[in-house]
Amino acid sequence: MKKILLLLFIILAVLSAKAQKSVLFKMKYAPNRNYVSTAVLKTDMQFDFKGDSTELDKIKAKGVKGPMTVVGTSDIVSSFKTGAADKLNSFPFIITFEKMATKQTIAGTEAPARANTIVGQKIYGKISREGTMKLDSMSGRAMDDNMKKGMMDMISNLQNQIKFPDKPLTVGESFNQDVPMKMPIGGTSMDMLIKSTYKLMAIDKGIAYFDVLQTMTLNMAINEKNMEMSGKGDGKLQYLIKDNFIKNMTNDLIFNYTMGMGNLTMVGLGKINSVYSISVN
């Protein structure tokens, strides 16, 4: 009987140790790899105008009647190709924007497609052995210096979107992260703050599964008027342990926003569904 109890105790101890196995997560690029990312973003927004009745009558006379619905889809594919490491263990990279297709329907009418100057553009840079990314230049003549700087700032911001703790995590543990983002857009600046809580739900066959909760606030000045947005959502994240990188991430966000337009204010509600996946070769 004692031997059986001892055997059961050992089995339970092994199972407990396995269940409590901790993993140190760290997002990092490796040399001589190609990271191909695909992002699909679907938006569904409703908006209306509030304010001076005379101004409201003017826009109604132009055929603008609220509430209006805007539905959009963005499909983005890019590659992040790394080169060989040097003696200091730093290595070059090239980001190529391979696809950026956007479709938008306003009040049931499809909006004309805009010319896309991003597809085919390449961004060159280098990653240090500590994992710090430095952007050097961007190819192409269709983008002015301000647009190039904005793109580089955006990529730097996106690089810091997920930072895992410096300590190992076990199943059931959570960590929080605040990510402020500042992006220059059309002569103005968009300030965004994303607060996220990541909870490690399971580790199975080399993949770590996280539940994600997020809140978001945004502020941007447009023609001396403010645009404000706030929202919250949830999602899932999968992390490939052997590659030290995200496998895929999904998120559903519900938000509301206001934007000043002359003597009127645009108010609206919306939802965003995003699916982001990466293959590492």
Side-chain angles (χ1 to χ4, degrees):
M1 184 68 179
K2 289 183 179 180
K3 290 182 178 180
I4 294 175
L5 291 175
L6 179 60
L7 180 60
L8 288 173
F9 177 80
I10 293 173
I11 292 173
L12 290 173
V14 171
L15 290 174
S16 176
K18 185 176 181 181
Q20 295 299 318
K21 180 182 178 181
S22 59
V23 176
L24 180 63
F25 296 92
K26 188 175 182 180
M27 284 275 293
K28 62 179 181 179
Y29 291 96
N32 295 319
R33 296 288 184 90
N34 190 23
Y35 301 80
V36 179
S37 65
T38 301
V40 178
L41 185 71
K42 297 180 180 180
T43 58
D44 188 346
M45 300 183 293
Q46 289 188 341
F47 66 90
D48 205 347
F49 296 94
K50 293 183 178 181
D52 182 76
S53 59
T54 302
E55 295 296 327
L56 288 172
D57 290 339
K58 289 181 180 178
I59 64 170
K60 287 180 181 179
K62 296 179 181 179
V64 180
K65 297 180 181 180
M68 298 181 68
T69 301
V70 178
V71 178
T73 303
S74 296
D75 190 357
I76 304 169
V77 178
S78 62
S79 65
F80 191 108
K81 190 172 184 179
T82 59
D86 59 21
K87 294 180 180 179
L88 298 177
N89 288 326
S90 62
F91 48 90
F93 67 83
I94 303 174
I95 301 174
T96 304
F97 297 94
E98 299 176 0
K99 179 181 179 181
M100 189 170 288
T102 302
K103 182 180 179 180
Q104 191 176 69
T105 302
I106 303 174
T109 302
E110 186 172 339
R114 296 182 179 180
N116 195 319
T117 59
I118 300 297
V119 175
Q121 299 286 346
K122 296 181 184 293
I123 293 180
Y124 302 88
K126 203 166 191 179
I127 298 178
S128 70
R129 62 181 178 183
E130 292 83 12
T132 303
M133 181 188 294
K134 181 181 178 182
L135 303 172
D136 295 327
S137 61
M138 175 180 278
S139 65
R141 300 178 180 178
M143 303 181 73
D144 58 27
D145 291 340
N146 288 332
M147 189 177 294
K148 288 183 180 182
K149 183 180 183 303
M151 184 62 65
M152 291 182 180
D153 289 344
M154 182 182 69
I155 291 172
S156 295
N157 286 329
L158 293 175
Q159 182 197 13
N160 296 319
Q161 265 198 317
I162 301 177
K163 279 194 172 182
F164 291 97
D166 294 331
K167 68 178 185 67
L169 293 174
T170 58
V171 172
E173 286 191 312
S174 303
F175 68 96
N176 301 316
Q177 183 180 5
D178 293 354
V179 180
M181 301 177 69
K182 190 178 185 72
M183 298 183 189
I185 298 177
T188 185
S189 177
M190 181 185 74
D191 296 305
M192 181 185 298
L193 176 62
I194 300 174
K195 294 186 176 183
S196 305
T197 299
Y198 299 88
K199 184 176 182 179
L200 180 58
M201 304 303 294
I203 298 175
D204 184 39
K205 297 179 181 179
I207 300 176
Y209 297 85
F210 290 84
D211 280 356
V212 186
L213 296 175
Q214 287 185 326
T215 62
M216 178 270 291
T217 57
L218 180 149
N219 187 280
M220 181 169 63
I222 303 175
N223 297 326
E224 299 182 353
K225 299 290 184 178
N226 280 340
M227 176 181 179
E228 297 180 349
M229 181 183 295
S230 62
K232 61 181 180 179
D234 55 34
K236 304 285 186 181
L237 183 148
Q238 295 181 16
Y239 177 97
L240 280 172
I241 295 174
K242 70 179 181 65
D243 290 322
N244 292 304
F245 221 84
I246 292 173
K247 183 177 185 289
N248 60 55
M249 180 167 57
T250 61
N251 185 265
D252 289 293
L253 180 73
I254 298 175
F255 62 93
N256 58 73
Y257 63 95
T258 61
M259 183 170 66
M261 299 183 66
N263 294 324
L264 300 175
T265 300
M266 179 190 290
V267 295
L269 297 171
K271 56 184 178 181
I272 300 175
N273 168 261
S274 59
V275 179
Y276 179 70
S277 59
I278 295 179
S279 64
V280 183
N281 303 308

